[in-house]
Amino acid sequence: MPSLPWSSPGTGPVGRPIGLGAVPPLWWRSLVVGGGLVAAAALLLPGPAADAAYVATGALGVLGIVVGTHLNQPRHPAPWWAFAVGLGLWVAADALLFLGAVAASDTLFVVGYAPLAAGLALLARVRVRGTDLAGLLDAAMLAVALTLAFWVLLGGPVLRSDAFSTGETVVELAYVVGDLLLLGGLVRIATSPGSWHLPMRALAGAIALVVVGDVLSLSLRMYTGVAEPVLPDVAYLASYLLWGASALHPRMLDMTEPVRPRSAVLGSRRMTALGLAATSGTWCLAVQVLLGARLTVWPVVLGTAVLVALVLARLRLAFNEIVAAHTESTTLRDQLSHEATHDHLTGLPNRARGLLLLEAALDRVHHAGGSVTVLFIDLDGFKKVNDTFGHRAGDLLLVEIARRLRTATRGDDTAIRLGGDEFVVVLHDVPDSTRAVALARRLIATVSEPVTLGALGTARVGASVGVSQCFDGTTDAVTLLDEADMAAYRAKRGGRGRAELFDLEMRAAAREAESLSADLRRAVAEEQLELHYQPVLDVHSGRVRGWEALVRWNRPGHGQLSPGAFLPTAERSGLIVDIDRWVEQTAIGQLGLWAAEHVGEELSVAVNVSRRRLLSPGVVPDLLEAVVTAGLHPRQLVLEVDHAVVAAEPAVAARLEEAREDGIRVALADFDAGFRSLRALGRLPVDFVKIGAEFLVIDSSEDVKLLHLTIQGARAVGLDVVAEGVERADQLATLRALDCAMVQGYHLARPMPADEAAAQLRVGPGDRFSGLLG
């Protein structure tokens, strides 16, 4: 049997762990051994000494129950006190019997069955948490089978026997009824949940021995005429001791702890037991035939009819549970399928499901004609809503936008959420591009209506929409979606709040993007990339505080390309991970060469790291290995990460925290100085904040105040500030006045190849870039 769930950690009613009683294990063993010796004396000694030993054995059983219940303190002690009362009546009955008061003794014996049966009923009830209809039906079947067997094999013969007087017959039938009550309680416990550990088995053994003793005593007296058989006394004495030992055992606490009902589905053991019970009428008749006894047909017929009704009810219950489990399984499967194909926030189909729907629409057009139109919707101003009102407001806004798109579409059309602030609407049979663009503009107007965010206020976003169409079904879903994406990008770049149709010019741009991607893949493989290094200077002394490594690509036939010309393509194609890895290895190796040449001068290099690279397996161990190989300290490497990525991606933040724990420093690029961003800044895993060129557009005193607030806010949480994009002397002067720690930009030094940077390093530390900060 499985161990009980409360046998492990947890506390009982007096604060000790459940399953560990206060009675030492030696006590119940002592009761069995010592009581066994006393019981042996009762069987072997003559006369009054045997009688006294018999009564003493029973008293030991009662004492075991009283002491065990008092010291172990079970959660529900009532069943044990009922057992103590019942056994106490039997011990008193034994004493009266030895004194010759047979009638009074029989009365106490019969009365004693009642508290014992009540204790078993209480024990069965407290062991079950909730309703256990299956267990009740199983117990009822077993109880009916036992009743039928006892009546056919004992009760009926007692009524017809000439060995007993009328009074004796009544008493013997009372014993039979008492045994059935005990067996009924035992089978109910057996069909209830919970494990059958040693004290439970001892209790079951005690009950079984009582019943065996009664059956032997009655049978021997009825069929052989033996008035005082010895074998039943052995059973009775052993029963007393087992009852007391079960209460003294430390695990008796578990016997009254509630357990959830088992499944109604029948297991093999229970099926076998219930099968034997259901056919008990047949077995009873067979035994009567073998014994040559008189057949008692009507009791068997009635008992069998009751058993059939119980079996049908039990099968119905098991069938209902199987059906319920199947229904639950189907519902769960459907739910998981829906969650896998739909956006959890808006309920719209997700990207994977959307591509399947779009592919099906294109297939229909290919075979039946018509058209498919894709509207790629990129929300304008969504980030501002998040920064101003918080992410909860952003979620509410997305849900409302999804509702509006769902309402605005026709029956066959589909709204899809790709992720973030991007949606797609797939339209069927739009006749031409003019109509498609008109529908796109209508959606822009729908999306741009103010959104009420409850207590958070009201927000408004716009939308840039890209339109692509297919009239022959020959385009695949990914291509059609990419075309709409490119059109949306041009709409956003052209001023936002606009709809753009994918046209021949964009198609040419798409082909150029494909060519660029192929050339870039070749460039990575053939190491056509190179690094330029831009110094980060101390705003007051002009000393070099570090270098930022910036990737360049001398594309064959096109000349040198800046990162903005090819990194977006690298992001889309997945090449960004390989490029980032190459940049890291190259920059760290170069810094190692410089550090070896300039011993005693702590130099550092910053590398830009993409989201994909940070989420790739083994990134931090890779970086540490490169740092150690180059002979550097981890703090000489700075990872530069976009603020939006760190703030929105818990997994990215966790990876950066892992790097910082190993000594690598982190710089936050493209910092957004909104109030929420400043408040959350201290919780981000970073060491520097880099403020961009947009903060250095200083046209008024308000601009200076905002810049000052940003610098002071970062300092307040212990972060250094680097101002990048410094292109004019007045910007530098303002930054120096605001005591910004470090500066970087074209006004100070452009990114330069490694050999030029090395030449600058060979100049004395105080003379490098001298005059630039003057």
Side-chain angles (χ1 to χ4, degrees):
M1 289 287 183
S3 61
L4 294 174
W6 54 82
S7 302
S8 50
T11 57
V14 291
R16 60 176 180 271
I18 291 174
L20 299 177
V23 180
L26 181 64
W27 286 28
W28 71 266
R29 294 188 179 96
S30 300
L31 176 68
V32 172
V33 175
L37 294 175
V38 177
L43 296 171
L44 299 175
L45 293 176
D51 296 342
Y54 201 110
V55 173
T57 302
L60 284 174
V62 176
L63 182 64
I65 295 176
V66 172
V67 172
T69 304
H70 176 70
L71 294 182
N72 283 326
Q73 296 188 24
R75 186 190 300 270
H76 300 284
W80 296 101
W81 295 126
F83 295 154
V85 171
L87 286 192
L89 290 172
W90 281 2
V91 171
D94 285 331
L96 290 174
L97 179 63
F98 297 140
L99 294 174
V102 176
S105 173
D106 282 333
T107 300
L108 288 183
F109 273 129
V110 171
V111 171
Y113 281 101
L116 292 174
L120 291 172
L122 287 172
L123 185 59
R125 189 181 70 179
V126 299
R127 280 168 61 87
V128 179
R129 181 186 300 160
T131 302
D132 182 23
L133 184 56
L136 288 172
L137 287 173
D138 293 345
M141 278 189 277
L142 293 171
V144 170
L146 289 170
T147 301
L148 181 59
F150 265 63
W151 176 258
V152 170
L153 301 178
L154 287 177
V158 166
L159 280 176
R160 296 189 297 271
S161 176
D162 297 329
F164 305 115
S165 65
T166 301
E168 290 173 334
T169 298
V170 172
V171 171
E172 297 299 343
L173 288 177
Y175 280 118
V176 171
V177 172
D179 288 338
L180 285 174
L181 289 175
L182 295 185
L183 287 174
L186 181 60
V187 297
R188 178 63 190 106
I189 292 173
T191 57
S192 67
S195 64
W196 276 63
H197 40 67
L198 188 59
M200 181 58 77
R201 291 196 293 270
L203 179 63
I207 296 169
L209 286 171
V210 169
V211 175
V212 168
D214 286 348
V215 171
L216 283 175
S217 177
L218 175 58
S219 299
L220 290 173
R221 284 186 287 112
M222 184 169 56
Y223 293 116
T224 67
V226 177
E228 296 182 1
V230 176
L231 285 178
D233 286 335
V234 175
Y236 295 143
L237 291 168
S239 173
Y240 279 134
L241 298 178
L242 287 179
W243 224 307
S246 67
L248 281 174
H249 196 281
R251 291 203 65 186
M252 65 87 75
L253 289 173
D254 293 345
M255 296 171 66
T256 56
E257 290 295 331
V259 188
R260 294 191 181 279
R262 297 188 184 100
S263 166
V265 179
L266 294 168
S268 58
R269 291 183 181 178
R270 187 168 290 203
M271 181 75 80
T272 301
L274 296 182
L276 291 174
T279 57
S280 58
T282 304
W283 297 111
C284 288
L285 292 175
V287 170
Q288 286 182 316
V289 170
L290 289 174
L291 295 177
R294 174 185 171 186
L295 296 179
T296 52
V297 177
W298 283 110
V300 171
V301 170
L302 292 175
T304 302
V306 173
L307 284 170
V308 168
L310 291 172
V311 167
L312 292 176
R314 185 64 175 84
L315 292 176
R316 178 62 181 271
L317 184 65
F319 176 77
N320 288 343
E321 180 161 319
I322 292 173
V323 171
H326 176 71
T327 302
E328 182 179 354
S329 175
T330 302
T331 302
L332 179 60
R333 185 176 64 249
D334 292 343
Q335 180 182 347
L336 292 175
S337 176
H338 184 274
E339 290 177 356
T341 57
H342 289 73
D343 175 57
H344 74 280
L345 178 64
T346 63
L348 296 179
N350 59 18
R351 182 184 185 88
R353 177 64 176 167
L355 286 173
L356 290 175
L357 294 173
L358 182 53
E359 201 67 62
L362 289 168
D363 185 65
R364 180 184 64 80
V365 169
H366 180 68
H367 291 92
S371 69
V372 176
T373 300
V374 173
L375 306 182
F376 191 105
I377 304 166
D378 190 348
L379 299 183
D380 299 329
F382 177 71
K383 184 175 182 297
K384 183 178 179 181
V385 173
N386 263 344
D387 292 340
T388 304
F389 297 99
H391 291 285
R392 171 61 180 159
D395 288 346
L396 293 174
L397 185 141
L398 291 174
V399 170
E400 173 59 19
I401 296 301
R403 186 196 66 78
R404 293 181 185 181
L405 293 178
R406 196 183 289 115
T407 302
T409 54
R410 299 169 299 177
D412 293 338
D413 300 333
T414 305
I416 301 161
R417 186 187 178 201
L418 296 183
D421 58 355
E422 295 178 339
F423 294 84
V424 163
V425 174
V426 178
L427 305 174
H428 296 273
D429 299 328
V430 177
D432 52 48
S433 59
T434 302
R435 175 66 175 161
V437 172
L439 289 172
R441 289 172 179 160
R442 187 181 303 170
L443 280 182
I444 292 173
T446 299
V447 169
S448 301
E449 290 292 325
V451 177
T452 301
L453 304 174
L456 297 174
T458 301
R460 184 194 296 268
V461 294
S464 299
V465 180
V467 183
S468 63
Q469 287 186 290
C470 178
F471 291 91
D472 55 9
T474 57
T475 305
D476 64 87
V478 174
T479 299
L480 193 63
L481 186 63
D482 286 345
E483 290 175 351
D485 186 6
M486 283 187 277
Y489 178 74
R490 190 165 77 172
K492 187 177 282 285
R493 194 172 55 180
R496 305 191 177 192
R498 302 169 65 247
E500 285 282 352
L501 179 69
F502 184 82
D503 54 20
L504 293 177
E505 180 184 342
M506 290 188 190
R507 195 176 301 278
R511 292 196 184 98
E512 168 57 24
E514 291 179 6
S515 174
L516 178 65
S517 180
D519 288 351
L520 184 57
R521 192 174 300 277
R522 190 178 306 110
V524 173
E526 298 176 359
E527 297 189 356
Q528 297 175 6
L529 304 176
E530 62 178 294
L531 288 184
H532 285 196
Y533 299 86
Q534 187 175 35
V536 178
L537 306 178
D538 185 287
V539 75
H540 296 294
S541 68
R543 295 173 67 91
V544 176
R545 299 283 295 273
W547 299 85
E548 181 179 359
L550 300 166
V551 66
R552 298 290 188 265
W553 177 26
N554 193 4
R555 185 183 180 191
H558 294 77
Q560 189 175 87
L561 301 183
S562 64
F566 62 89
L567 286 186
T569 300
E571 285 277 6
R572 288 193 295 270
S573 65
L575 284 171
I576 191 65
V577 175
D578 294 330
I579 293 175
D580 281 354
R581 187 181 293 112
W582 179 85
V583 169
E584 294 157 9
Q585 298 292 327
T586 304
I588 292 170
Q590 183 63 68
L591 185 65
L593 295 176
W594 291 341
E597 185 177 347
H598 301 275
V599 178
E601 185 175 350
E602 184 171 317
L603 302 173
S604 65
V605 66
V607 293
N608 290 274
V609 188
S610 67
R611 169 186 171 277
R612 286 194 180 188
R613 172 58 176 153
L614 282 170
L615 295 180
S616 63
V619 58
V620 175
D622 285 352
L623 292 170
L624 291 173
E625 182 180 357
V627 167
V628 172
T629 302
L632 302 172
H633 189 280
R635 67 172 281 104
Q636 291 177 263
L637 175 63
V638 178
L639 303 181
E640 195 165 310
V641 190
D642 186 78
H643 176 208
V645 173
V646 181
E649 291 265 10
V652 169
R655 192 60 57 85
L656 292 175
E657 187 59 48
E658 178 187 350
R660 294 181 74 231
E661 288 175 356
D662 288 317
I664 297 172
R665 294 182 292 170
V666 177
L668 194 67
D670 295 326
F671 176 65
D672 177 8
F675 171 70
R676 293 180 182 274
S677 298
L678 283 171
R679 188 172 61 178
L681 189 57
R683 297 193 295 269
L684 297 179
V686 297
D687 303 279
F688 305 97
V689 172
K690 297 193 77 170
I691 55 178
E694 67 272 14
F695 285 92
L696 303 184
V697 179
I698 304 171
D699 296 327
S700 66
S701 59
E702 297 299 322
D703 295 332
V704 175
K705 290 179 181 178
L706 176 60
L707 180 58
H708 184 248
L709 173 65
T710 304
I711 294 171
Q712 293 302 315
R715 281 184 172 171
V717 293
L719 302 179
D720 287 330
V721 180
V722 180
E724 59 181 344
V726 180
E727 298 182 353
R728 301 193 314 269
D730 62 312
Q731 293 173 332
L732 180 59
T734 301
L735 290 168
R736 183 186 288 113
L738 296 178
D739 201 21
C740 178
M742 291 167 279
V743 289
Q744 172 186 356
Y746 280 16
H747 176 67
L748 307 169
R750 289 177 174 271
M752 62 192 74
D755 55 350
E756 292 184 21
Q760 287 290 339
L761 285 171
R762 294 188 187 100
V763 178
D767 298 326
R768 295 169 190 163
F769 310 103
S770 59
L772 293 176
L773 300 180

